[in-house]
Amino acid sequence: MANAHPTPILEVRDLCVEFDTMAGLVQGLRGVSFSVMPGETMALVGESGSGKSVTAQAIMGLIGLPGRISSGDILWKGQSLLTREGQKAAGKLRGKSVSMVFQDPMTSLNPLMTIGAHLIEVLRRHMGLSKDKAFARGVELLDAVGITEPKRRMGQYPHEFSGGMRQRVMIALAIACEPELLIADEPTTALDVTIQAQVLDLLADLQKSMGLSIVLITHDLGIVAGLCEKVAVMYAGSIVEAGTAKTVFDHAEHPYTQGLIRSTPRLDDRRARLISIDGAPPSLLHPPKGCAFQSRCPVSSRQCDEKPARQATPEGGSVSCWTPSVAAWSEPSESPTGGQAR
Amino acid sequence: MGTFILRRAFQGLLVVLGVTIVVFIATRLIGDPAKVMLPLSATDAQRAAFEAQFGLDKPLDQQFFAFIGDLMSFDFGESIWQRKPALDVVLGKLPKTLELIGAGMFLAVAIGIPLGAIAAVRPDGLFDRLIVGLSLTGLSIPQFWLGLLLIMIFAVGLGWVPTSGTGTLAHLILPAVTLAVPAMARIMMLVRSSVINELNQQYVRTAKARGLPFVRVLFQHAMRNALVPVLTLAGWEVISAWAGYTVVVETVFAWPGLGFTAMKAIGQSDLFLLQAIVFVVAVGIVIVNILLDVLFKLIDPRIKDA
């Protein structure tokens, strides 16, 4: 905070998203706030259903019925994207300045269109290129994401590509219009481990060469440690802890973060059983009034019946907990970076 | 592609041959033409002469081989009823039926596809409910009754169009609409559910995330995928109209096409004419199927030669 407040490229302020389902109003996001600086890589971490993907969809304007953004704001370089003028501007931003890579490359491409047609479509739309120029640029892009024989590949259909190759195509599509921010929603979850590493390396290279900001959504803490500067941990629709990757891993304050790190399997670990956090996240249909993690927290107290406010940590991060920095779990939890959590 | 079509054509040839053989047997079962064509007062000698004239006095196996022999030169014999070569009669009626099917299917597709797609944009919205209701009504109305109803309202009651017959566009409207309504209802329902399904696919979501306008996502991305099953149904509609529904519609409107002629041929026990009609219908079905296969290959690159 000491440096002269540069404008974040993306800022999410107290964002709430609701889904009007048959069962009732599901609170998908319950006040999510974070910001991403130019060139920064941030991870959104959390278990399934914690609201990571909903956050990404809200940014991309993909929340469709029965969902809606009920309150909060999304700002692009300081300008709201949710006002009427903002929505117009957002239409031009999305796909151009902000783009997204999705979880499942197998179903993310139109099976009846060639890879080239996909690329040419966005290049013509956002970059105003002619058909020939768009084709040439498409070839360059495929080459840039490491697809061999790009010219021939342009004329092929998605079913002629493997999963890893398709994810490379998705990345090529996402960077086609030279975006400033790339949202990657579990980009490697559907890929096998060796391909995962290749795709992550590719993202890291692109981030360096293009000065891209990346929001990486994942539940794999190993990926976060390798790629991201900042981390925000989500639980039950809100961010419970945020900070630099190093502080969050080495000095996890929130019992949930500690539990998450503790339950990460390690190659050098000889314990027979995988450690897990007992219980399940609360239903977002009727979320608890107090701390959402209370029912699973080993150190919860009376105080936790009230919602904890977000507070700064000594290491420069933030945490929403009444009793931060307590070593919540009986055994010491070890972080993937090798440090010891307190 | 060329060998693919050739192979399909050869398979089709076998189908046509098979159908003709079945029809040969079936037509021999439906009745004795001599009884129908000759007056009740005809003598046995007259009957024998009639049968001899058309070769009906020979044993069935001999008739069969003669039939197959003639088939090779597209000779279906002479229509007993019209006293003209049967194939000429059929080919003479063909354009009228093609006109009716063309108009009916054009209406069904041109109205059914856009309405179904628009309904799918907001499932359970007001327009969607309206479309679903209309479709169900269209599906539930018996076709012959719909034809009679339309005649009563628009021809007899309002006098806007002729009750039956052919010749002008005004003659075509009611039969085409009657033929189109059930097909349109089915196409509308399928397009609707197919587009709803496609709009929920991940590739539509990614296309939206790429900032493409909804109209483009709907028509360029979702519709193309949604039309694959619709094409199957449309082909089925053409075939069912060609080999069935036109018989009903043409009979109701006295439309002088193949269906109407087929009804007459059955009434008159005109074996040779019936054989020629079924032959032409079978060839038509084979051609439609080959066209469909080719279209599928053009639309969906995942379909391999099979």
Side-chain angles (χ1 to χ4, degrees), chain B:
Chain B
M1 195 64 126
T3 52
F4 167 77
I5 295 173
L6 270 180
R7 199 166 56 230
R8 276 301 154 92
F10 179 70
Q11 288 167 353
L13 212 62
L14 295 180
V15 170
V16 171
L17 191 66
V19 169
T20 348
I21 291 169
V22 171
V23 170
F24 172 82
I25 297 163
T27 48
R28 294 304 183 271
L29 294 176
I30 60 169
D32 180 358
K35 273 196 192 131
V36 181
M37 293 303 294
L38 296 182
L40 281 172
S41 59
T43 62
D44 281 352
Q46 281 171 323
R47 283 180 203 285
F50 179 85
E51 289 189 344
Q53 185 192 346
F54 290 101
L56 297 170
D57 54 342
K58 295 194 185 93
L60 212 54
D61 56 332
Q62 273 187 35
Q63 281 188 40
F64 180 71
F65 287 114
F67 167 71
I68 296 292
D70 290 343
L71 196 62
M72 295 305 152
S73 53
F74 294 106
D75 179 3
F76 287 86
E78 194 168 277
S79 161
I80 302 172
W81 166 45
Q82 301 245 328
R83 305 285 166 154
K84 277 194 286 186
L87 194 63
D88 289 359
V89 175
V90 173
L91 294 180
K93 302 288 184 190
L94 190 60
K96 276 289 150 198
T97 292
L98 291 182
E99 180 187 332
L100 179 59
I101 293 179
M105 290 302 119
F106 174 77
L107 281 180
V109 167
I111 299 175
I113 291 181
L115 289 188
I118 296 169
V121 171
R122 260 181 180 271
D124 290 331
L126 197 64
F127 188 77
D128 182 42
R129 281 165 205 237
L130 188 75
I131 289 295
V132 170
L134 279 177
S135 294
L136 287 175
T137 315
L139 283 175
S140 318
I141 296 178
Q143 205 159 24
F144 70 91
W145 185 80
L146 174 68
L148 294 174
L149 187 75
L150 291 177
I151 290 175
M152 273 177 60
I153 297 174
F154 294 102
V156 179
L158 297 169
W160 290 353
V161 287
T163 51
S164 64
T166 175
T168 65
L169 193 64
H171 285 95
L172 181 60
I173 293 173
L174 290 190
V177 168
T178 309
L179 185 65
V181 163
M184 183 162 55
R186 279 186 289 266
I187 288 174
M188 220 142 72
M189 290 291 251
L190 183 67
V191 169
R192 175 185 172 273
S193 65
S194 190
V195 171
I196 288 176
N197 180 44
E198 292 303 327
L199 285 178
N200 283 320
Q201 297 292 313
Q202 179 65 30
Y203 73 85
V204 165
R205 183 173 279 247
T206 53
K208 280 189 204 159
R210 265 178 256 131
L212 303 175
F214 182 71
V215 174
R216 185 167 175 91
V217 173
L218 178 65
F219 288 105
Q220 174 71 26
H221 290 263
M223 278 294 273
R224 243 177 106 180
N225 282 279
L227 284 184
V228 175
V230 175
L231 187 60
T232 310
L233 177 65
W236 182 87
E237 292 293 353
V238 170
I239 288 170
S240 334
W242 173 239
Y245 297 138
T246 47
V247 176
V248 176
V249 175
E250 289 182 5
T251 306
V252 170
F253 289 94
W255 183 266
L258 271 190
F260 190 56
T261 310
M263 284 303 286
K264 281 274 167 91
I266 292 170
Q268 305 277 349
S269 286
D270 192 340
L271 312 189
F272 304 109
L273 183 54
L274 211 50
Q275 281 167 1
I277 291 173
V278 173
F279 175 80
V280 169
V281 168
V283 169
I285 290 175
V286 166
I287 291 174
V288 171
N289 270 312
I290 292 174
L291 282 178
L292 279 179
D293 284 336
V294 171
L295 277 176
F296 272 125
K297 278 169 69 74
L298 290 180
I299 289 185
D300 194 337
R302 288 167 298 182
I303 296 173
K304 291 266 184 306
D305 286 9

Side-chain angles (χ1 to χ4, degrees), chain A residues 262-274:
Chain A
R262 179 171 162 268
S263 58
T264 304
R266 300 185 43 137
L267 285 177
D268 56 358
D269 197 336
R270 283 160 200 234
R271 279 173 298 195
R273 281 185 61 112
L274 210 56

